[in-house]
Amino acid sequence: LEPDALDMELTEQSVNLSGGGISIIVQTVYQPRETLSVTLLLPDHGRFTASIEVVQLDPLPRASDGYRLRARFVRLSTQDRDVLIRHILRFQRDHLARHYSA
């Protein structure tokens, strides 16, 4: 994918995110080791674009559901990794506060 494409379409969907990688549902078949560009909208940060390398693509139970893509971040600067980790920690803190506060 073109990392600098200005006409890209952003779609809202849930992702599984860590400081090392991402898991997401896709409809397109990608090959292991293929490099893609992903853009995330992070609260308090805005658009966050990074390169990911496909690690695994698993079909979901129903063919119409697509595939679970597992990928690792590549060429991610320390500063960008820190942004991701801060976002994840903030998300976890807020989730715990909402669901477990007395």
Side-chain angles (χ1 to χ4, degrees):
L1 299 179
E2 291 292 327
D4 296 327
L6 298 176
D7 61 347
M8 69 180 149
E9 180 180 328
L10 298 178
T11 58
E12 183 176 341
Q13 68 184 85
S14 179
V15 300
N16 185 342
L17 184 64
S18 75
I22 188 170
S23 174
I24 189 168
I25 304 301
V26 298
Q27 299 302 315
T28 305
V29 174
Y30 297 103
Q31 299 302 314
R33 301 188 64 176
E34 192 170 352
T35 300
L36 308 172
S37 177
V38 64
T39 298
L40 305 170
L41 294 175
L42 302 178
D44 301 327
H45 182 77
R47 284 188 183 194
F48 179 89
T49 302
S51 294
I52 57 174
E53 180 183 46
V54 176
V55 173
Q56 188 173 344
L57 189 72
D58 298 317
L60 294 173
R62 293 187 312 232
S64 62
D65 291 341
Y67 306 88
R68 175 168 305 281
L69 181 139
R70 291 177 176 85
R72 66 181 185 90
F73 291 109
V74 292
R75 299 183 301 271
L76 195 63
S77 70
T78 301
Q79 181 181 4
D80 284 345
R81 191 172 311 276
D82 288 346
V83 166
L84 275 179
I85 291 170
R86 278 195 305 275
H87 167 73
I88 293 164
L89 292 174
R90 186 178 307 115
F91 179 85
Q92 290 174 334
R93 183 193 66 222
D94 293 347
H95 175 77
L96 290 173
R98 278 192 310 272
H99 295 285
Y100 299 105
S101 61

